[in-house]
Amino acid sequence: MTFIVGLTGGIGSGKSTVADLLVRRGAALVDTDAIAHALTTPRGAAMATIAAAFGPTVLQADGGLDRAAMRDLVFADPGAKTRLEAILHPLIRRHSEDACRAQSASPYVVLAVPLLVESGFYRQYVDRVLVVDCDEATQRVRVMARSGLTAEQVAAIIRTQARRDQRLSVADDVVRNDGPVEDLGPQIDRLHQRYLALAAAKKPIDR
């Protein structure tokens, strides 16, 4: 019975940093973004269906997904977003469940899900919801610095995600991440100890 912490947060909140710090302390990581990326590589399991649904304009020369083209299409056509999610989400769920089960030897699993709040499945699947939180201005600065997107593009992405108050309303635990990475250590240490205790309480006693 693997103890699973669902990790989420808005774009630029620092989810990857928090996940890495928990992994350094002994947690296993299952990242749905990484799974989605693998599914949309040239030989990815989702690409044949995506190509049939959207045509060659969203494909790179090697047959993988052209993420910039798909992002532009999704922003222009809400129906495209729905169709893409209908293809990817069932595959991501199945792969993430398999990956979590494979980590049964780990003390607990961090399941990173950017859309956890929007998904009824993941909220019911995890034992604990951990939200990485920062203000929207910090999100914008971080995303623009790392991606080269404009302020308008970042704002458009933020609008497609759950609101900050919606994420906080479902959180069992919150990491505040408005400052430097050094400020995260004490918060992560406390959470790690909490999750170890909760995971130990969940495991059945061998008889």
Side-chain angles (χ1 to χ4, degrees), residues 77-100:
D77 178 9
K81 178 175 184 287
T82 301
R83 295 197 304 275
L84 179 64
E85 289 176 347
I87 295 167
L88 283 176
H89 285 189
L91 290 169
I92 294 170
R93 285 197 297 268
R94 187 169 73 243
H95 283 259
S96 64
E97 287 182 81
D98 291 344
C100 286

Side-chain angles (χ1 to χ4, degrees), residues 108-185:
Y108 63 92
V109 175
V110 174
L111 176 60
V113 188
L115 299 180
L116 185 147
V117 174
E118 296 88 335
S119 168
F121 169 78
Y122 289 108
R123 287 175 61 185
Q124 297 177 26
Y125 180 66
V126 301
D127 296 288
R128 199 90 175 165
V129 174
L130 170 59
V131 170
V132 185
D133 181 56
C134 66
D135 62 50
E136 190 172 309
T138 301
Q139 288 181 263
R140 290 196 299 269
V141 169
R142 287 174 178 165
V143 177
M144 290 170 64
R146 79 186 186 199
S147 67
L149 296 176
T150 66
E152 291 76 15
Q153 288 173 315
V154 176
I157 294 172
I158 290 174
R159 285 195 297 271
T160 68
Q161 299 183 331
R163 299 190 313 272
R164 185 180 182 186
D165 64 296
Q166 291 174 319
R167 286 191 294 269
L168 292 173
S169 71
V170 303
D172 296 301
D173 305 298
V174 177
V175 169
R176 288 288 305 166
N177 189 28
D178 287 302
V181 68
E182 292 78 15
D183 292 350
L184 292 174

Side-chain angles (χ1 to χ4, degrees), residues 189-200:
D189 286 335
R190 288 193 294 271
L191 285 172
H192 178 60
Q193 293 304 317
R194 180 180 303 164
Y195 296 150
L196 288 177
L198 290 170

